[in-house]
């Protein structure tokens, strides 16, 4: 390149022989191998003239984002860049890419840059009007074969909803599926971005995940394997949002997924996570789309579903019930006697013949047998049935079922619950006030995530709460001081009813700072850590009734020891009325036997009213007795979800 | 004191987030017969990770890149239909249930992959249902045998 630039213009006819010879040599060399380099320079100049290195699409393909120390790519794998400074410098990467495209073809076509970076190639080919017939590698045959095999027809964003008994999974996951023209959704391809690890120790996993110490990779597998994972094993319902991507856009999306194959981007749980990095594929599919720029710094997968919707990408939605939801739905079609027969056969307490016996009415036989089979599959997925017992019992039930006939009728139509994206938004701002003994106060609070027990359940799991980093401030008119009232680092509750088919354990865990009455009768900020476990039942007319045993540790305050450890319990009733009202009444009593010995009793009644999609009113009355000091507090607050 | 509190809080927060985010690790497929689900060793609360064994996006560009069938015997029936073989091997339980019931998405997919024309499908489903016990001959049945037993039922449609 440099040599070419320094070459004198050929104007004079009196060139010395040696120079002439050199010139001819240089030309002939150029013909043999230097020609592509010459074109590369032309291409580089042309690309610079068009400003392609700063084109938003180029920035998307290379995952460049502004950072604290200037622009850099979120991709951390050196193999993804052709220039040594490519992870920071879009122009250098552009120049290096154009040169690399003109490299002579080697033995392995798939290793050629045209084939390694198919999306970059396709875009630059179009923008620079490249004549591919003059290129050493005109196309990537390997990718074209894959594309032909996939026969893409549409693309969907997939959101596995929360486990019923683990609210934390509300944070969830998203993936994409590429539907094929084969005519079955099961045969779609699922594209995931996930952290790769063999770490099984939770806390270490979390710490490393927060600081991006795990490599993240894209993976692709048949959709049915993801359905097994989420629907059948983890018991999570799946929501599918089909996007209005055209065939060309899906091709571009797949091209980018292909060039991201085996490419590492460090995985960060809260921002550069599954849902965020997946958006690079959508942005690459549709030039002009900037989903990766519209995300908040704290990426909640469900919010990314909403973002896709706000961008007008969703054509239609579908719901895939988990195995547990199917069991629940089939059970609801049957009277008690048949339900118990199905359960007993599935558990191996009765023989499969009972399905056709006298205690199963003729018209309920097929549903009873189907329920028995699905419930057995559920128990097996929970590892509550050994595999040889499962195989034997499963075939016996299915044998009975096959003799009942009724083929070709179509699957059960299980009504879909409200969509999670239609539930209230993730962030909550509250304003309120109240009275407490002789004092009155106003307060405000903010909670970036996610759902409280008193918030409208629509789109969420009933009886669940998951709060991360909520903060509350209170201004007291008596003391004329503004004080930090609480910091809810984590406050999770799962009240999950027990029944014939499911016997979950309800539980809760909370940690944070809370203002609590001390020995001196004044309130002090203490750090608390609480855990509890118990049982819950759905009682007709009354609501969700629960009892829990709890342990609590407190640190800080103004008392003698400045710490207290105790145990106790709570019991309460939670009930939704008409889908807009919600009430929660509970009692909680904890005896602190270690540290600052004392007893804390609390009786509370809370009511919530969802006034519009993203607003609610909550009111509550709480009576407390701690260190023998009693006080009563009433509050009213208005909540806005955004 | 305050620092200690902050530290404890941070560690607790992370430990919790850890269990919240801890995910399906070390998935393994236990075989090619009934009951061979893709079990997760650790049933996490949220799935953000996946097993090291299932990395690689496009693999060799064929269908069942991550299926557990690579160690399984290759059937002579439908021998050229690799997608069908892998589908049956990977979905033994759900397919058996759908065949016994005579409907469902897994049964429909089987018909698609076996090339059963739409007009003949309801007859195909009835025939499979009626022959359930000769398709699933024992609890040790493998996908190879299942395919071998299904093949004659497709041929005469």
């Amino acid at each position: 390149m440099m040599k070419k630039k320094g070459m004198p213009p050929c104007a004079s006819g009196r060139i010395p022989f040696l120079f002439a010879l050199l010139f001819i040599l240089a030309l002939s060399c150029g013909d043999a191998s230097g020609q592509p380099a010459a074109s590369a320079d032309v291409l580089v100049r042309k690309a610079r003239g068009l400003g392609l290195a700063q084109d938003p699409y180029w920035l998307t393909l290379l995952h460049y984002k502004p950072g604290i120390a200037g622009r850099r790519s979120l991709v951390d794998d050196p193999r993804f860049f052709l220039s040594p400074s490519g992870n920071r410098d879009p122009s250098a990467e552009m120049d290096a890419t154009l040169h690399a495209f003109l490299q002579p073809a080697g033995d392995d076509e798939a290793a050629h840059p045209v084939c390694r970076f198919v999306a970059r190639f396709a875009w630059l080919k179009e923008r620079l009007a490249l004549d591919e017939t003059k290129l050493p590698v005109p196309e990537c045959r390997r990718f074209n074969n894959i594309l032909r095999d996939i026969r893409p027809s549409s693309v969907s964003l997939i959101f596995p909803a929360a486990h019923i008994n683990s609210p934390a999974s509300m944070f969830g996951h998203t993936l994409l599926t590429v539907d094929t023209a084969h005519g079955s959704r099961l045969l779609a391809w699922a594209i995931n971005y996930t952290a790769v690890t063999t770490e099984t120790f939770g806390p270490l996993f979390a710490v490393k995940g927060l600081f991006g110490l795990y490599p993240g990779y894209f993976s692709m597998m048949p959709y049915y394997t993801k359905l097994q994972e989420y629907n059948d094993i983890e018991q999570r319902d799946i929501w599918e949002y089909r996007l209005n991507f055209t065939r060309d856009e899906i091709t571009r999306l797949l091209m980018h997924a292909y060039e991201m194959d085996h490419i590492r981007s460090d995985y960060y749980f809260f921002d550069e996570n599954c849902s965020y990095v997946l958006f690079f594929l959508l942005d690459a599919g549709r030039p002009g789309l900037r989903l990766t720029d519209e995300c908040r710094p704290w990426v909640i997968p469900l919010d990314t579903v909403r973002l896709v919707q706000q961008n007008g990408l969703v054509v239609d939605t579908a719901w895939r019930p988990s195995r547990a939801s199917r069991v629940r739905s089939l059970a609801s079609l049957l009277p008690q006697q048949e339900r118990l027969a199905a359960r007993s056969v599935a558990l191996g307490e009765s023989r499969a013949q009972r399905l056709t016996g006298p205690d199963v009415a003729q018209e309920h036989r097929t549903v009873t047998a189907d329920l028995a089979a699905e419930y057995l599959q559920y128990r097996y997925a929970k590892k509550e049935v050994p595999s040889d017992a499962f195989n034997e019992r499963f075939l016996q039930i299915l044998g009975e079922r096959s003799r009942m006939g009724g083929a070709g009728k179509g699957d059960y139509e299980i009504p879909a619950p409200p969509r999670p994206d239609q539930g209230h938004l993730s962030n909550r701002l509250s304003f309120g006030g109240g009275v407490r003994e002789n004092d009155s106060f106003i307060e405000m609070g903010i909670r970036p995530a996610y759902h409280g027990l008193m918030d409208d359940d629509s789109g969420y799991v009933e009886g669940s709460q998951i709060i991360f980093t909520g903060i509350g401030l209170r201004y007291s008119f008596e003391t004329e001081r503004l004080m930090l009232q609480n910091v809810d680092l984590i406050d999770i509750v799962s009240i999950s009813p027990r029944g014939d088919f499911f016997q979950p354990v309800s539980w809760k865990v909370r940690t944070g700072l809370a203002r609590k009455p001390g020995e001196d009768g004044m309130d002090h900020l203490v750090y608390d850590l609480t855990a509890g476990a118990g049982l819950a039942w759905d009682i007709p007319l009354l609501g969700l009734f629960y009892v829990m045993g709890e342990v609590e540790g407190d640190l800080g305050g103004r008392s003698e020891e400045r710490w207290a450890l105790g145990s106790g319990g709570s019991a309460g009733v939670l009930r939704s009325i008409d889908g807009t009202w919600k009430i929660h009444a509970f009692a909680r009593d904890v005896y602190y036997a270690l540290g600052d010995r004392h007893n804390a009793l609390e009786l509370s009644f809370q009511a919530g009213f969802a006034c519009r999609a993203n607003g609610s009113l909550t009111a509550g009355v709480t009576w407390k007795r701690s260190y023998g000091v009693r006080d009563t507090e009433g509050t009213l607050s208005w909540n806005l979800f955004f | 004191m305050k620092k200690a509190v902050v530290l404890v809080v941070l560690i607790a927060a992370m430990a919790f987030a850890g269990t919240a985010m801890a995910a399906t690790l070390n998935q393994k497929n236990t075989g090619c017969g009934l009951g061979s689900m893709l079990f997760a060793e650790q049933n996490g609360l949220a799935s953000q990770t996946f097993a090291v064994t299932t990395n690689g996006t496009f693999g060799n560009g064929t269908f069942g890149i991550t299926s557990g069938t690579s160690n399984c015997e290759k059937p002579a029936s439908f021998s050229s239909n690799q997608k069908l073989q892998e589908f049956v091997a990977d979905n033994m339980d759900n397919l058996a249930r759908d065949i016994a019931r005579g409907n469902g998405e897994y049964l429909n997919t089987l018909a698609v992959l076996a090339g059963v024309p739409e007009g003949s499908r309801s007859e195909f489903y009835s025939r499979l249902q009626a022959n359930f016990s000769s398709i699933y001959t024992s609890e040790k049945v493998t996908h190879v045998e299942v395919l071998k037993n299904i093949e004659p039922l497709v041929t005469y449609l």
Side-chain angles (χ1 to χ4, degrees):
Chain A
M1 276 183 284
M2 293 306 287
K3 210 197 287 176
K4 295 259 165 203
K5 246 183 189 170
M7 192 164 288
C10 169
S12 161
R14 283 184 291 173
I15 307 165
F17 175 71
L18 198 62
F19 272 103
L21 191 66
L22 273 174
F23 186 56
I24 290 161
L25 269 176
L27 266 183
S28 60
C29 283
D31 279 336
S33 67
Q35 193 58 45
S39 336
D41 280 343
V42 172
L43 291 182
V44 165
R45 272 198 298 278
K46 195 170 171 189
R48 282 183 187 160
L50 292 168
L52 292 189
Q54 301 306 321
D55 190 290
Y57 193 68
W58 180 252
L59 302 181
T60 294
L61 285 183
L62 274 297
H63 299 205
Y64 290 119
K65 290 291 163 202
I68 307 159
R71 181 156 53 199
R72 67 170 192 97
S73 171
L74 300 184
V75 175
D76 299 290
D77 198 322
R79 288 176 306 163
F80 187 63
F81 304 99
L82 291 158
S83 156
S85 59
N87 65 337
R88 280 169 284 108
D89 187 348
S91 307
E93 185 61 19
M94 170 70 73
D95 297 355
T97 302
L98 289 170
H99 278 99
F101 283 163
L102 300 181
Q103 271 173 21
D107 296 337
D108 182 9
E109 190 191 281
H112 191 275
V114 160
C115 217
R116 276 175 55 208
F117 303 107
V118 281
R120 291 188 208 181
F121 178 68
W123 183 66
L124 288 171
K125 191 176 94 176
E126 190 196 318
R127 295 303 304 267
L128 296 170
L130 288 182
D131 180 359
E132 68 257 37
T133 56
K134 295 198 175 137
L135 296 176
V137 176
E139 58 167 354
C140 183
R141 275 177 294 192
R142 182 166 178 267
F143 176 77
N144 292 342
N145 288 340
I146 289 170
L147 194 64
R148 209 168 302 130
D149 189 58
I150 294 175
R151 290 162 69 200
S153 63
S154 68
V155 64
S156 301
L157 182 67
I158 308 298
F159 177 69
H163 298 237
I164 212 103
N165 194 23
S166 93
S169 64
M170 276 189 215
F171 277 101
H173 183 66
T174 51
L175 52 138
L176 293 176
T177 56
V178 174
D179 257 322
T180 73
H182 293 298
S184 164
R185 283 285 294 151
L186 297 181
L187 301 176
W189 282 98
I191 303 177
N192 267 281
Y193 171 74
T194 46
V196 174
T197 171
T198 49
E199 179 64 64
T200 51
F201 181 55
L204 193 59
F205 182 79
V207 173
K208 287 169 103 175
L210 289 175
F211 294 106
L213 294 174
Y214 288 120
Y217 289 94
F218 280 100
S219 64
M220 190 155 158
M221 58 198 79
Y223 188 32
Y224 61 70
T225 60
K226 297 313 278 182
L227 293 177
Q228 257 183 40
E229 181 183 341
Y230 292 119
N231 271 173
D232 297 355
I233 296 176
E234 295 192 354
Q235 311 303 334
R236 296 166 76 166
D237 297 339
I238 288 178
W239 288 92
E240 302 177 340
Y241 300 83
R242 194 159 63 87
L243 309 182
N244 55 7
F245 268 41
T246 63
R247 188 74 60 87
D248 286 346
E249 289 169 337
I250 300 169
T251 302
R252 271 195 292 269
L253 182 157
L254 286 169
M255 282 177 171
H256 190 52
Y258 182 81
E259 65 188 15
M260 290 302 294
D261 193 15
H262 294 102
I263 295 295
R264 172 176 62 89
S265 305
D266 293 338
Y267 192 100
Y268 292 84
F269 281 160
F270 291 131
D271 49 359
E272 290 175 42
N273 60 17
C274 53
S275 297
Y276 178 75
V277 176
L278 211 55
F279 274 176
F280 279 107
L281 296 184
L282 296 179
D283 285 355
R286 179 175 292 179
L289 202 56
R290 305 291 292 162
L291 295 171
T292 52
D293 288 340
E294 292 179 41
C295 280
R296 294 181 199 183
W298 165 288
V299 184
I300 295 176
L302 177 56
D303 287 345
T304 68
V305 172
R306 292 197 174 104
L307 191 58
V308 163
Q309 232 147 11
Q310 285 154 17
N311 276 273
L313 302 184
V314 177
V315 189
D316 55 34
T317 59
W319 182 63
R320 278 178 183 276
S322 67
R323 178 91 69 220
S325 297
R326 291 180 64 89
V327 167
R328 221 169 270 120
S329 172
L330 294 192
S332 74
L333 302 174
L334 295 174
Q336 178 78 357
Q337 181 169 311
E338 277 83 351
R339 274 212 299 268
L340 293 179
R343 176 173 180 271
S344 157
V345 168
L347 295 179
E349 294 160 2
S350 324
R351 299 182 57 80
Q353 284 78 1
R354 184 171 169 192
L355 295 169
T356 48
D359 53 350
V360 178
Q362 189 69 37
E363 70 269 26
H364 292 313
R365 280 192 180 159
T366 57
V367 183
T368 308
D370 291 343
L371 175 59
E374 298 243 14
Y375 186 54
L376 176 58
Q377 284 189 282
Y378 168 83
R379 296 292 288 231
Y380 181 58
K382 289 264 165 197
K383 296 188 176 173
E384 288 160 351
V385 181
S387 101
D388 42 352
F390 167 79
N391 288 357
E392 191 188 346
R393 214 178 294 158
F394 193 50
L395 276 194
Q396 282 165 0
I397 295 170
L398 296 184
E400 290 295 333
R401 176 62 184 90
S402 69
R403 286 187 281 280
M404 296 175 190
K409 263 180 156 176
D411 202 354
Y412 294 96
E413 298 221 343
I414 299 176
R419 274 179 8 219
D421 58 288
Q422 290 174 331
H424 66 74
L425 298 176
S426 307
N427 300 268
R428 191 178 93 165
L429 189 63
S430 310
F431 299 97
V435 288
R436 182 180 173 195
E437 301 298 313
N438 302 319
D439 189 11
S440 56
F441 56 85
I442 50 170
E443 56 186 2
M444 70 167 285
I446 184 150
R447 192 192 74 196
Y450 187 46
H451 177 68
L453 268 188
M454 296 309 293
D455 297 334
D456 182 13
D457 281 332
S458 174
Y460 292 86
V461 176
E462 196 189 349
S464 71
Q465 162 169 293
I466 178 161
I467 291 173
F468 268 75
T469 63
I471 290 174
L473 297 171
R474 182 179 279 195
Y475 177 81
S476 156
F477 289 106
E478 189 186 47
T479 61
E480 298 185 338
R481 279 178 64 197
L482 180 69
M483 285 184 298
L484 183 63
Q485 188 66 15
N486 62 292
V487 178
D488 306 326
L489 281 170
I490 291 159
D491 196 345
I492 297 181
V493 180
S494 172
I495 300 171
S496 203
R498 299 164 76 83
D500 291 338
F501 291 92
F502 306 101
Q503 288 85 35
V505 171
S506 295
W507 58 275
K508 65 160 137 186
V509 61
R510 178 202 140 82
T511 188
L513 300 173
R515 208 164 272 283
K516 293 190 176 184
E519 219 169 350
D520 54 3
M522 308 280 281
D523 278 1
H524 303 289
L525 208 56
V526 296
Y527 163 73
D528 66 24
L529 178 63
T530 307
L535 306 177
W537 297 268
D538 209 343
I539 297 172
L541 299 175
L542 185 64
L544 208 50
F545 170 75
Y546 67 89
V547 280
M548 283 198 211
E550 295 187 27
V551 289
E552 175 167 346
D554 291 348
L555 205 58
R558 284 280 162 75
S559 49
E560 215 163 281
E561 303 279 349
R562 296 197 170 190
W563 67 277
L565 194 63
S567 63
S570 59
V573 174
L574 188 66
R575 174 151 193 208
S576 297
I577 304 161
D578 292 344
T580 50
W581 282 93
K582 221 169 168 186
I583 51 170
H584 183 203
F586 69 92
R588 183 170 185 266
D589 199 9
V590 178
Y591 288 88
Y592 296 86
L594 297 171
D596 291 309
R597 298 166 63 108
H598 69 287
N599 165 241
L601 173 67
E602 182 179 355
L603 303 173
S604 182
F605 179 84
Q606 311 278 329
F609 175 67
C611 31
R612 347 183 297 257
N614 282 301
S616 75
L617 278 173
T618 45
V621 182
T622 303
W623 179 88
K624 275 185 194 171
R625 191 191 64 206
S626 188
Y627 290 101
V629 182
R630 293 149 206 244
D631 73 69
T632 312
E633 179 179 295
T635 56
L636 178 69
S637 56
W638 176 68
N639 310 298
L640 175 74
F641 297 91
F642 65 104
Chain B
M1 180 65 205
K2 265 186 188 156
K3 271 184 189 165
V5 170
V6 169
L7 197 69
V8 168
V9 165
L10 264 179
I11 290 170
M14 285 168 180
F16 191 80
T19 42
M21 302 284 185
T24 49
L25 303 166
N26 306 325
Q27 291 175 340
K28 59 167 184 182
N29 195 319
T30 47
C32 324
L34 283 170
S36 59
M37 284 183 105
L38 190 73
F39 272 120
E41 283 294 289
Q42 183 185 330
N43 225 349
L45 303 177
S47 245
Q48 294 204 22
T49 68
F50 71 113
V52 189
T53 49
T54 58
N55 61 7
T57 313
F58 285 86
N60 51 16
T62 54
F63 189 75
I65 295 160
T66 59
S67 80
T69 55
S70 41
N71 303 323
C72 301
E73 191 195 334
K74 294 277 177 286
S77 339
F78 299 109
S79 54
S80 62
N81 198 336
Q82 200 197 339
K83 283 183 171 56
L84 175 62
Q85 290 169 24
E86 282 169 357
F87 175 77
V88 172
D90 287 344
N91 297 284
M92 282 288 279
D93 296 357
N94 285 338
L95 182 62
R97 189 203 56 214
D98 280 6
I99 287 177
R101 217 161 55 177
N103 68 54
E105 211 174 2
Y106 292 84
L107 182 56
N108 175 53
T109 306
L110 175 79
V112 166
L113 288 174
V116 177
E118 284 204 31
S120 311
R121 285 194 191 156
S122 70
E123 194 198 335
F124 178 57
Y125 299 159
S126 299
R127 196 180 286 186
L128 288 181
Q129 188 187 44
N131 288 281
F132 181 83
S133 301
S134 52
I135 298 169
Y136 294 89
T137 44
S138 83
E139 55 264 35
K140 298 270 188 296
V141 72
T142 66
H143 80 286
V144 177
E145 290 156 356
V146 167
L147 279 164
K148 198 179 82 199
N149 300 339
I150 287 176
E151 193 166 32
L153 302 171
V154 177
T155 323
Y156 301 111
L157 274 171

